[in-house]
Amino acid sequence: MKKYISLLTVLFLLLGIHAAPLEAFAVNGAALEKFVQALEQSDVGLSEKEDVLVEQLRQRIAVKSRVKPPVFGAPESTIAYDDVYVFEYTGARESVDALTYYRSLSTTAWAEPDSICRAQSLGDDYGDDMLGTTEALAYLNTAFSEVASVQVAVVDTGIDFDYFADYRQRLTDSGVNTCNSGTADSALDDNGHGSMVSEIILRSTGDNVHITGYKVLNHNGFGDDLGIAAAIKKAADDGAAIINLSLGGIKNDITLDAVDYAYEKGAIVVCAAGNESANAGKMAPACSEKALTIGALDKSGHKSDYSNFGKEVDFVAPGTDIYFAYKEKTASGTSFASPYVAAEIALLLGAAPGLNFEQVKKTLAGTCVSAEALNYQSGFFPCSQDCGVENKNGYPTEIFSTQASYKDYFGNGMPEIDTCLRQLNNEPAISIPEFLTAPGSYTDTELTLAFAPEAGTSIYYTLDESFPTKESTLYTEPIAMETLTSVRAVAYTASGSRSFVQSGTYLPFYHANPADFTLSQDGSAITAYTGTKANIIVPEQIAGYTPTHMVLTAPNVDLDGITLPESIKTCALEDTPIRTTPFLIDAPGLEEVTSAHNCFYRTAFVNLPRIRAFHCQSLFLRELTLPQAQEVTLVCANLQSATLPNLEVIRDDAFNKCYSLKELYAPRATTIGRRAFSACYRLQKAELPMVKQAEKNGNAHAFNNTYCLKELNLPALEHIDTSFFSGSGVKTLYAPALISTDSLPQNEVSYLADEPIPEKEHARIYLSSAFESCTATIERTKIVPVLLKKRYYRNLIDFYGTDGTFAQDFATQNGARFTALPLLVSEPENMGYPSAGILQAEAVGYALTYQWYGTNGKDNRFGTPLRGENAATLHTQAYDFNYYYCEITHHDGALQSTIRTGESDNACYDVNDDGSVDIRDIALMLPFIGQPVTAQNTRCDVNYDGIIDIADISILTNSQIYGVEI
């Protein structure tokens, strides 16, 4: 009914009729024409401001009732036709109260406020095209004689039931609200997130799919584990076949227990992987094996930068820039990838309602676009994702990385539900389009893109890396390729069946004609390229000259890539504006680049082995290796790895806002500037062994906002300035040369109220006796947000150092834990016990020295030193002792401390169990000398060699006469 009223209202607005106040009357059965006339006279809907118009329309309450309802309050007017009654109020509060009242009446079929009518365009809803939901819906209703009803639970911020009036028969309010906002005993949405999730499921499924809303997140999108778990169990008890969880938090048993409960009840839990670009195994419910964990893709099928990864990821689906009519905007997140897969499963269960969790997972996995196909990239441009891919187009492979398995990022791939249903119905697969010209790199070749179409199919393709659909370009004839061309193609049959996607890249490079270059008067510089080829190889000699400088100007073409000869040593880009397309520079001899217009902004690939100074802004640069660079400043939002073996000074802002930087190799750097790594949100480890920086006030905010930083190795650093660690998540700081600091790590730890403080989340700082001053203080701030039922601690810092030093005094004064060095990190189980093989004494400390000992007694005090065994590793095969232990000495300037592996076990020498090792124990041994060990004398064999002899007595007397027998 809401749709009709809204349409009439909009019609009235379009006609622009000047209306008078609505005349008060209520006539059952009034003709629709009279109803329209009454609406035309209403003052409601005259505002041209959308927000005002929406509020005005919400003051008009429509009620469908089988009898005439009582009039609530004092409406300005009423009107009715058939069994629909409209009450128009002047205040928002009165209209809300009226809506509540009319909904409470047993005679009311429904009651709702009027609302503005919007065009239901889904904008750039590429998710439907990529997953094939439209085709699947049509196929489901024609190929399957019966379609089962499917219940989906959306456990989220609730659902805006008023907005989705057209779907009202498919929506149910569970009455569950476990959070601190919204309407009591109702899952009515007061945030919007749950409604957006529901919109995806509604528009991706048919009338057989019904959604029940459970509100567990408040108006700010927060909730607690107990409330979420309760709603998951309630949804399972309510008979939900699918439970969508577009939410997540730190790994916890409360949530996982609820997911297990739902699994046992037969519900299929689908959840978001998370948006931290981190390991999903640390998140709940994403880490559960009883849930399907979904990562996010962008329009091109590449992994979304924010999407979590790991072996827990089962599938991926569109999640970036999804358009929502509900909010009339686009939004991104794995929250929106999850309901796409939930909708796919709903379609699958409509056709095959008997499938369980494992069968659904296997069926979807069999019809996925593969991880390799989704990871497709255009030639030398690494995808917008965390893992690189080995280059197969003729460029140096070291520019790319294979840090993780594709499966860790894409799971089984992206399920295509239309293909899934057709295979379920035993229809044969459609052949993938076949390239007649193989993708790859070509030099001086006129390339054409051509396919070999199968009979009865049509091929659609894209050249911008977007995912191909029926809306893409129809292939009719070969396509000439004169520049970098990224191709994706798909085949469709006349009935709408589609193949999997074929992807390829064509990269034509041309040896430029020397006549297409202009030179300076002395022939030392190229001043312009006047040709028309987009990818060129510059000749070494032009008109008899060998230029050493180039001004990169191309008035007749937008260059995609340029390869310079080794003779070109310097290059100026002053006349080249910021590019709108990616750009390749391959310059093995280039030593210096000057740029006034950020010309590197779109550079995707750089081979500059001799460059000494490099200042770059780039969107596409992922990995950078500059073996000779001594001066670098980068503004590269997507840069993930930088290898700079000769960089000596990390200047102010050198890597500031390199949001994706994870790894840096700069072993010769001696100085870190201000804000050098500020906002490197994903930096996980930084090892800078030569950074000394004796002067203060030089590295303020250097690691500001490095939330993912786990390990910071600065063995030569002497001073740390104010705010060096502001917003840093550093967990381990190794700084044995540190003299003073004005900043300390500021880590925050959260955990359930009844749990102990998680020790592994503490920050660890390793210091030496050189440390003598700290102006920062440690205040363990405890925060207890009542609504979240969590506890938070800030500044949980543990110190490691040498006994009797300032580091120990500072830790004690500030209530922090102090651990003395050396510290044995891991001791093999057989250390100090019978063994054969390799032993490892792994310890932490400064200038550590090792000495191994062998003994036949179960003790680490009286062994024989093994000559030359001064490493952390011992190969025991060269010796005949029964036991081994290692003495490790920590050298901290003039201070030393020692620990030993193994144990001092006097108990085994106390033969008579009188609490002391003395002459009486030797006396007990003497009658058994030379005899084999039996149950009666086993305690006398203190070295466990199977015989009682002088060696046992020598152990007790601490003498060294092993091997002498009576």
Side-chain angles (χ1 to χ4, degrees):
M1 185 61 214
K2 177 177 178 181
K3 178 172 68 175
Y4 297 123
I5 296 175
S6 300
L7 288 171
L8 293 170
T9 304
V10 173
L11 177 61
F12 162 70
L13 291 173
L14 293 174
L15 293 174
I17 299 174
H18 297 285
L22 184 65
E23 182 179 347
F25 69 96
V27 181
N28 285 330
L32 183 59
E33 290 79 4
K34 290 184 178 181
F35 183 72
V36 173
Q37 290 173 6
L39 288 176
E40 289 175 349
Q41 298 177 35
S42 173
D43 288 331
V44 175
L46 292 180
S47 175
E48 294 182 359
K49 294 184 178 180
E50 182 175 324
D51 55 346
V52 176
L53 177 58
V54 169
E55 291 305 314
Q56 286 181 337
L57 291 176
R58 284 190 174 275
Q59 295 176 29
R60 176 184 290 158
I61 305 301
V63 181
K64 183 173 183 178
S65 175
R66 63 177 181 270
V67 298
K68 179 180 178 180
V71 177
F72 177 89
E76 182 175 320
S77 59
T78 63
I79 185 173
Y81 75 96
D82 296 333
D83 55 356
V84 177
Y85 302 82
V86 180
F87 303 90
E88 193 170 290
Y89 297 89
T90 57
R93 181 70 264 171
E94 190 175 11
S95 63
V96 170
D97 292 341
L99 181 63
T100 302
Y101 169 74
Y102 286 119
R103 285 177 172 173
S104 69
L105 300 177
S106 61
T107 56
T108 299
W110 51 258
E112 61 185 21
D114 197 5
S115 67
I116 189 171
C117 180
R118 298 179 177 91
Q120 294 300 300
S121 169
L122 297 181
D124 191 15
D125 181 26
Y126 63 90
D128 174 74
D129 293 331
M130 289 176 65
L131 298 170
T133 53
T134 298
E135 292 86 352
L137 273 169
Y139 184 76
L140 185 67
N141 293 323
T142 57
F144 294 88
S145 57
E146 293 184 10
V147 178
S149 177
V150 180
Q151 298 292 330
V152 180
V154 173
V155 179
D156 212 290
T157 62
I159 301 175
D160 189 340
F161 301 104
D162 295 332
Y163 174 81
F164 294 107
D166 290 348
Y167 296 102
R168 196 64 183 88
Q169 299 303 315
R170 297 175 57 191
L171 297 174
T172 301
D173 187 343
S174 68
V176 173
N177 182 348
T178 66
C179 65
N180 63 322
S181 71
T183 305
D185 301 322
S186 173
L188 187 63
D189 195 355
D190 60 355
N191 172 278
H193 185 270
S195 297
M196 295 162 76
V197 168
S198 299
E199 179 179 332
I200 290 176
I201 299 174
L202 286 169
R203 71 193 187 196
S204 301
T205 57
D207 292 341
N208 67 307
V209 177
H210 303 271
I211 299 176
T212 301
Y214 297 79
K215 183 169 176 57
V216 298
L217 306 178
N218 66 13
H219 61 285
N220 290 322
F222 294 107
D224 63 88
D225 296 330
L226 289 173
I228 292 168
I232 293 172
K233 292 183 176 181
K234 181 66 167 60
D237 286 343
D238 290 344
I242 303 164
I243 302 176
N244 186 85
L245 303 175
S246 292
L247 47 78
I250 59 174
K251 187 176 181 180
N252 66 89
D253 290 331
I254 295 174
T255 303
L256 297 181
D257 176 71
V259 173
D260 290 347
Y261 181 89
Y263 173 85
E264 295 299 329
K265 284 279 188 174
I268 298 172
V269 177
V270 186
C271 66
N275 303 332
E276 295 77 26
S277 189
N279 193 327
K282 298 180 180 180
M283 310 292 293
C287 65
S288 175
E289 295 180 355
K290 302 295 179 61
L292 296 179
T293 300
I294 315 302
L297 301 173
D298 62 18
K299 184 177 182 179
S300 296
H302 299 159
K303 174 191 172 292
S304 302
D305 281 337
Y306 54 80
S307 185
N308 285 353
F309 52 85
K311 63 182 179 61
E312 291 77 14
V313 174
D314 295 296
F315 300 102
V316 286
T320 297
D321 294 334
I322 304 299
Y323 182 84
F324 293 94
Y326 175 67
K327 290 290 187 178
E328 291 190 327
K329 69 174 186 179
T330 59
S332 301
T334 55
S335 280
F336 308 127
S338 179
Y340 270 120
V341 176
E344 287 190 311
I345 296 172
L347 292 173
L348 179 59
L349 293 182
L355 298 181
N356 60 26
F357 178 91
E358 286 76 15
Q359 291 168 329
V360 165
K361 183 176 180 179
K362 182 178 180 181
T363 302
L364 290 181
T367 55
C368 279
V369 178
S370 69
E372 288 78 8
L374 291 169
N375 191 57
Y376 162 75
Q377 62 181 22
S378 60
F380 46 74
F381 309 144
C383 301
S384 178
Q385 61 198 26
D386 288 328
C387 71
V389 60
E390 186 175 342
N391 177 33
K392 295 181 173 61
N393 290 302
Y395 287 96
T397 57
E398 58 266 21
I399 204 69
F400 296 92
S401 67
T402 53
Q403 300 171 7
S405 165
Y406 291 151
K407 190 172 178 62
D408 285 341
Y409 292 87
F410 299 95
N412 294 290
M414 182 188 72
E416 290 188 338
I417 187 59
D418 55 335
T419 304
C420 182
L421 291 180
R422 293 179 189 280
Q423 288 196 13
L424 189 67
N425 207 28
N426 297 317
E427 287 197 10
I430 309 303
S431 297
I432 300 173
E434 179 183 350
F435 290 125
L436 292 180
T437 304
S441 299
Y442 295 85
T443 301
D444 296 330
T445 301
E446 298 297 333
L447 288 176
T448 58
L449 170 62
F451 296 101
E454 290 280 335
T457 64
S458 299
I459 295 176
Y460 296 85
Y461 68 92
T462 64
L463 301 179
D464 60 359
E465 295 195 32
S466 62
F467 210 80
T469 67
K470 267 189 176 180
E471 304 302 317
S472 304
T473 305
L474 175 65
Y475 174 75
T476 57
E477 60 183 2
I479 307 157
M481 297 177 291
E482 295 186 353
T483 184
L484 170 70
T485 304
S486 302
V487 183
R488 275 183 162 172
V490 63
Y492 278 87
T493 66
S495 63
S497 300
R498 64 172 172 168
S499 70
F500 286 116
V501 171
Q502 172 72 280
S503 304
T505 299
Y506 298 85
L507 184 59
F509 261 87
Y510 299 94
H511 284 90
N513 188 336
D516 289 334
F517 295 92
T518 59
L519 298 178
S520 60
Q521 187 171 1
D522 62 0
S524 64
I526 299 173
T527 56
Y529 169 66
T530 59
T532 58
K533 297 294 185 182
N535 297 295
I536 61 171
I537 300 172
V538 178
E540 182 173 353
Q541 287 199 335
I542 301 174
Y545 295 98
T546 303
T548 58
H549 178 73
M550 181 170 188
V551 178
L552 195 58
T553 300
N556 300 324
V557 66
D558 190 11
L559 288 175
D560 286 330
I562 185 169
T563 298
L564 299 178
E566 290 196 29
S567 56
I568 298 292
K569 304 299 181 184
T570 59
C571 184
L573 290 79
E574 288 86 347
D575 298 327
T576 305
I578 294 178
R579 298 177 50 80
T580 58
T581 58
F583 183 51
L584 164 69
I585 296 179
D586 187 357
L590 201 61
E591 297 177 358
E592 181 182 350
V593 176
T594 58
S595 171
H597 298 286
N598 297 325
C599 301
F600 284 116
Y601 191 61
R602 293 275 177 174
T603 302
F605 176 94
V606 176
N607 179 28
L608 303 171
R610 297 185 182 179
I611 202 76
R612 297 184 181 277
F614 189 73
H615 304 280
C616 169
Q617 292 196 33
S618 173
L619 285 181
F620 287 86
L621 192 61
R622 296 287 177 182
E623 300 188 20
L624 179 64
T625 299
L626 299 175
Q628 301 300 323
Q630 298 176 355
E631 181 181 327
V632 171
T633 304
L634 296 169
V635 181
C636 302
N638 292 327
L639 182 71
Q640 295 179 7
S641 176
T643 301
L644 307 164
N646 279 301
L647 185 67
E648 296 181 355
V649 176
I650 301 176
R651 299 182 178 274
D652 293 353
D653 299 296
F655 298 93
N656 188 9
K657 297 181 181 179
C658 289
Y659 304 121
S660 300
L661 184 65
K662 288 186 177 182
E663 299 177 358
L664 172 74
Y665 179 69
R668 298 188 62 182
T670 59
T671 304
I672 304 176
R674 293 172 175 267
R675 302 172 301 276
F677 297 96
S678 180
C680 290
Y681 297 133
R682 298 179 187 173
L683 186 64
Q684 297 178 3
K685 180 180 179 179
E687 188 165 351
L688 301 167
M690 295 184 66
V691 169
K692 185 176 182 180
Q693 203 147 350
E695 69 281 354
K696 300 184 78 173
N697 304 317
N699 54 34
H701 299 276
F703 286 91
N704 181 50
N705 293 338
T706 51
Y707 300 114
C708 293
L709 187 60
K710 302 302 180 187
E711 184 175 341
L712 187 56
N713 190 355
L714 299 168
L717 187 67
E718 296 181 350
H719 295 286
I720 292 176
D721 211 336
T722 305
S723 302
F724 184 85
F725 291 112
S726 178
S728 173
V730 65
K731 287 293 186 288
T732 301
L733 170 64
Y734 183 75
L738 192 67
I739 297 173
S740 66
T741 180
D742 298 322
S743 179
L744 289 171
Q746 298 179 348
N747 68 318
E748 180 176 288
V749 180
S750 64
Y751 49 97
L752 291 175
D754 296 329
E755 292 180 345
I757 299 173
E759 301 291 337
K760 66 180 181 179
E761 296 297 330
H762 288 205
R764 299 181 178 186
I765 302 180
Y766 293 86
L767 302 168
S768 73
S769 58
F771 184 57
E772 59 186 30
S773 173
C774 180
T775 61
T777 58
I778 303 175
E779 182 179 352
R780 293 195 173 192
T781 307
K782 179 180 179 182
I783 310 168
V784 186
V786 177
L787 297 177
L788 297 182
K789 298 183 178 65
K790 300 276 189 183
R791 290 192 299 178
Y792 290 82
Y793 269 95
R794 290 198 178 111
N795 298 330
L796 293 177
I797 303 174
D798 298 337
F799 290 84
Y800 294 77
T802 307
D803 280 330
T805 61
F806 175 76
Q808 184 179 26
D809 294 340
F810 179 81
T812 302
Q813 293 169 7
N814 286 271
R817 185 168 59 191
F818 178 83
T819 301
L821 297 177
L823 175 65
L824 194 63
V825 176
S826 63
E827 181 176 357
E829 293 182 359
N830 59 5
M831 192 73 70
Y833 296 90
S835 63
I838 300 176
L839 298 180
Q840 177 76 28
E842 184 180 355
V844 175
Y846 307 128
L848 297 177
T849 57
Y850 300 84
Q851 176 60 60
W852 286 91
Y853 292 80
T855 177
N856 287 323
K858 190 180 180 182
D859 194 277
N860 65 359
R861 295 171 300 172
F862 312 125
T864 300
L866 305 179
R867 183 176 299 179
E869 297 292 356
N870 307 119
T873 301
L874 173 69
H875 295 264
T876 63
Q877 294 92 332
Y879 303 95
D880 295 327
F881 295 101
N882 291 336
Y883 310 97
Y884 302 89
Y885 63 91
C886 186
E887 183 178 83
I888 306 169
T889 303
H890 158 85
H891 304 268
D892 186 1
L895 303 175
Q896 292 188 21
S897 52
T898 300
I899 58 172
R900 290 174 178 172
T901 64
E903 58 185 318
S904 299
D905 191 359
N906 280 336
C908 70
Y909 306 148
D910 185 15
V911 179
N912 60 6
D913 290 322
D914 65 353
S916 64
V917 180
D918 52 24
I919 193 65
R920 287 184 293 272
D921 298 302
I922 297 177
L924 288 174
M925 287 184 178
L926 291 176
F928 302 107
I929 291 294
Q931 294 184 17
V933 176
T934 66
Q936 288 73 31
N937 63 19
T938 182
R939 292 294 301 275
C940 298
D941 183 20
V942 296
N943 63 7
Y944 300 100
D945 64 355
I947 189 170
I948 301 168
D949 53 20
I950 194 65
D952 298 301
I953 297 176
S954 68
I955 290 175
L956 268 65
T957 58
N958 194 22
S959 61
Q960 304 293 325
I961 53 174
Y962 295 96
V964 177
E965 296 186 14
I966 297 176

